[in-house]
Amino acid sequence: MSDSNLMEKIVSLCKRRGFLFPGSEIYGGLAGTYDYGPMGVLLKENVERIWRELFRDGRDDIYGVDAAILMNPKVWEASGHTATFADPLVVCAECKRRFRADQLDDPSVCPECSGALSEPKPFNMMFATKAGVAEDESATVYLRPETAGGIFVNYKNVMDSVHPKLPFGIAQIGKAFRNEIAPRDFIFRLRELSQMEVEYFVAPAAWEKAFEEWRETMHAYARALALPDEKLHELEVPQDDLAHYSKRTIDFEFDYPFGRKELWGLAYRTDFDLSAHMERSSASFEYLDEETKEKFVPHVIEPSLGVDRTVLAVLASAYREDELGGETRTYLTLAPKVAPVKAMVSPLLKNKPELVEKAREVRAVLRAALPGAVIAWDDNGNIGKRYRRQDEIGTPFCVTVDFDTLGEKPEFANTVTLRDRDTGAQERLSVPDVAGRIRAALA
Ligand code: GAP
């Protein structure tokens, strides 16, 4: 399968099975926006939940915030986004199309019509809107271009409310908005995206140790998502290419079907943000080390992860086709923790009330035994079709209730068949054993 073919197949599966839909589709869409559907919501929540476990809740030194998307514009002046959050824009003199100069092989020739392109001009990617009824400049506010801004402005609030000692971090998952010149590659480059970010505050001399620890946490996250190790690469960003706030950045790149591209970033932001906010606001962010009696502005290590790029990496890694039972099938080898649905329960025949009743009972037992796990129900079409549907959304287990469950063969009474997604192999197990098997897969 060629890589472009693979991408088309992933996009098509996402639409067909309710993972992702083009934004505002009935009106022809809106470039750079996608909507998560029923399966996509569950997948995204799992990606975020595993991040929360590793980056926030499984630790004692990280606190959460959920800050407003609209922020005082002074935040973005201080962070440098108003002045420098720009990509180089070129416009074709002939067809008037707009491009990002740094994404063109030849930034002087239009890739669509070969017309002459303008000189690159910086194009600020922040989305502006107006707050309140005034129409003048003073009412201009921006949709946040990174969730980090909402963390820095709450540094003092967190200090004053939970009194942490350094090192500690503040974590946030939320939407960010970037008016990308050329949104592309499905959910890779969006105008409305979600980020999972930690700002980790350290004493200046401790930054390197913290950087290495977060680097390892990011690899642990990749392993938890079952991203193949050989597709993940670290790129030490050259000094000339560093963002304005960074002294060191590692890009975690991933081999997407359309090439090796940035998945996540790990940056050493120094004291750039806290110092900049201190200069422009009335807040003091100086920290007094009680042992050394030293006063300083904390430095920051920032693991920054895009939710949508992570979802895409997970889907692209999991997509498979094979021959099973004489048919070509498509399936997703999602890690059980990541899969939207953990198991599907089904009566062999839907027009046999005794099978349906027993299957409902089995489903209730599994739901009670596995709180929080989505246990689906499907009695539509024949059993083979049901398995195929679950394969396509990556459900690791299918549980079928048949006449043997009801005691037709007494030795199998109260057992069900458990089918494995990847091999298609089936075995007979008691319901508690099925619950145990699923629980073990989710551990
Ligand atoms: N706070 C630092 C920051 O925002 P960034 O490298 O600009 O750094 C962090 O973005 C992550 O957000 C990226 O590694 C990527 O996962 C995601 N991201 C950035 N721009 C994106 C876009 N237009 N569409 C989807 N995800 C994006």
Side-chain angles (χ1 to χ4, degrees):
M1 198 181 337
S2 79
D3 285 346
S4 65
N5 205 355
L6 172 60
M7 210 45 221
E8 270 172 36
K9 288 183 173 196
I10 292 170
V11 173
S12 156
L13 178 125
C14 283
K15 175 95 201 296
R16 187 168 75 245
R17 289 288 171 225
F19 283 94
L20 284 146
F21 310 125
S24 323
E25 194 184 10
I26 60 168
Y27 290 106
L30 178 67
T33 67
Y34 276 88
D35 297 339
Y36 284 79
M39 291 308 125
V41 165
L42 295 170
L43 177 61
K44 186 179 185 217
E45 283 171 1
N46 291 337
V47 161
E48 293 176 353
R49 186 178 43 73
I50 297 169
W51 179 87
R52 260 188 231 109
E53 280 164 16
L54 271 172
F55 286 76
R56 193 188 75 187
D57 299 343
R59 312 175 49 119
D60 293 326
D61 56 350
I62 307 286
Y63 306 90
V65 293
D66 185 359
I69 286 170
L70 296 176
M71 302 183 73
N72 189 310
K74 287 183 182 151
V75 172
W76 309 117
E77 280 167 31
S79 67
H81 283 79
T82 312
T84 62
F85 192 56
D87 276 338
L89 171 72
V90 285
V91 184
C92 175
E94 301 294 321
C95 69
K96 310 294 177 213
R97 283 197 178 87
R98 298 162 153 242
F99 304 94
R100 234 177 92 170
D102 58 339
Q103 287 178 342
L104 298 177
D105 291 335
D106 181 349
S108 64
V109 179
C110 175
E112 296 291 334
C113 73
S114 304
L117 292 176
S118 64
E119 282 300 307
K121 264 209 234 142
F123 171 76
N124 193 295
M125 288 192 286
M126 283 201 292
F127 273 103
T129 186
K130 300 277 181 198
V133 291
E135 288 292 329
D136 60 16
E137 260 312 288
S138 69
T140 300
V141 292
Y142 300 95
L143 305 185
R144 65 183 179 202
E146 58 173 14
T147 55
I151 294 180
F152 290 120
V153 298
N154 280 298
Y155 170 80
K156 194 158 173 358
N157 287 331
V158 173
M159 279 302 264
D160 293 348
S161 54
V162 290
H163 309 289
K165 300 254 177 300
L166 287 190
F168 77 94
I170 305 179
Q172 173 165 232
I173 297 184
K175 291 274 187 171
F177 300 82
R178 299 179 178 192
N179 196 3
E180 296 281 355
I181 295 170
R184 59 168 69 176
D185 295 323
F186 195 31
I187 54 169
F188 178 80
R189 193 177 301 287
L190 293 167
R191 290 188 170 140
E192 178 174 340
L193 55 131
S194 294
Q195 291 183 316
M196 309 178 275
E197 298 199 300
V198 173
E199 306 305 325
Y200 194 68
F201 302 98
V202 296
W207 79 266
E208 275 162 312
K209 180 170 173 279
F211 194 93
E212 288 310 317
E213 284 167 6
W214 283 109
R215 187 180 191 172
E216 182 39 47
T217 303
M218 291 168 82
H219 282 287
Y221 183 53
R223 287 193 294 275
L225 297 173
L227 296 182
D229 208 29
E230 66 280 8
K231 290 196 170 187
L232 193 65
H233 311 274
E234 287 189 4
L235 173 80
E236 185 77 43
V237 177
Q239 289 292 317
D240 291 353
D241 293 343
L242 289 174
H244 59 278
Y245 50 72
S246 174
K247 272 241 172 93
R248 182 181 179 195
T249 295
I250 290 179
D251 280 350
F252 284 69
E253 296 189 318
F254 186 77
D255 292 325
Y256 287 101
F258 42 84
R260 187 174 295 181
K261 304 269 174 177
E262 180 190 333
L263 169 62
W264 308 319
L266 175 64
Y268 169 40
R269 287 180 84 127
T270 68
D271 61 348
F272 174 87
D273 301 86
L274 289 186
S275 292
H277 287 305
M278 238 168 77
E279 263 172 39
R280 289 169 177 80
S281 69
S282 55
S284 169
F285 297 140
E286 270 192 330
Y287 181 87
L288 172 69
D289 187 314
E290 279 162 12
E291 271 171 32
T292 62
K293 302 293 172 217
E294 226 189 312
K295 260 188 168 183
F296 55 85
V297 176
H299 282 219
V300 168
I301 303 299
E302 179 195 62
S304 175
L305 294 84
V307 176
D308 314 278
R309 285 189 190 180
T310 308
V311 166
L312 184 54
V314 163
L315 286 169
S317 311
Y319 188 95
R320 299 279 185 288
E321 288 175 4
D322 71 0
E323 298 289 323
L324 192 70
E327 272 179 53
T328 305
R329 68 157 181 161
T330 300
Y331 64 115
L332 297 179
T333 58
L334 295 173
K337 267 188 170 192
V338 179
V341 173
K342 309 307 179 196
M344 182 273 281
V345 179
S346 175
L348 183 65
L349 300 169
K350 81 180 214 189
N351 55 359
K352 296 284 174 196
E354 62 277 30
L355 284 180
V356 173
E357 192 186 332
K358 185 69 181 170
R360 292 248 176 238
E361 191 188 304
V362 167
R363 185 184 186 221
V365 170
L366 291 179
R367 274 181 154 175
L370 301 160
V374 177
I375 310 291
W377 173 265
D378 193 353
D379 58 10
N380 250 329
N382 67 41
I383 197 79
K385 286 215 174 94
R386 296 178 211 164
Y387 288 159
R388 296 289 169 279
R389 275 198 292 273
Q390 296 302 319
D391 286 346
E392 285 205 331
I393 60 169
T395 304
F397 301 107
C398 287
V399 177
T400 304
V401 168
D402 58 18
F403 292 105
D404 289 345
T405 316
L406 300 179
E408 203 166 276
K409 284 198 197 112
E411 68 272 28
F412 292 135
N414 287 316
T415 64
V416 292
T417 61
L418 183 70
R419 174 188 178 269
D420 178 90
R421 172 197 65 202
D422 298 346
T423 60
Q426 299 188 23
E427 56 186 315
R428 276 212 96 83
L429 291 175
S430 71
V431 178
D433 283 351
V434 168
R437 192 67 73 80
I438 300 171
R439 190 176 300 112
L442 294 174

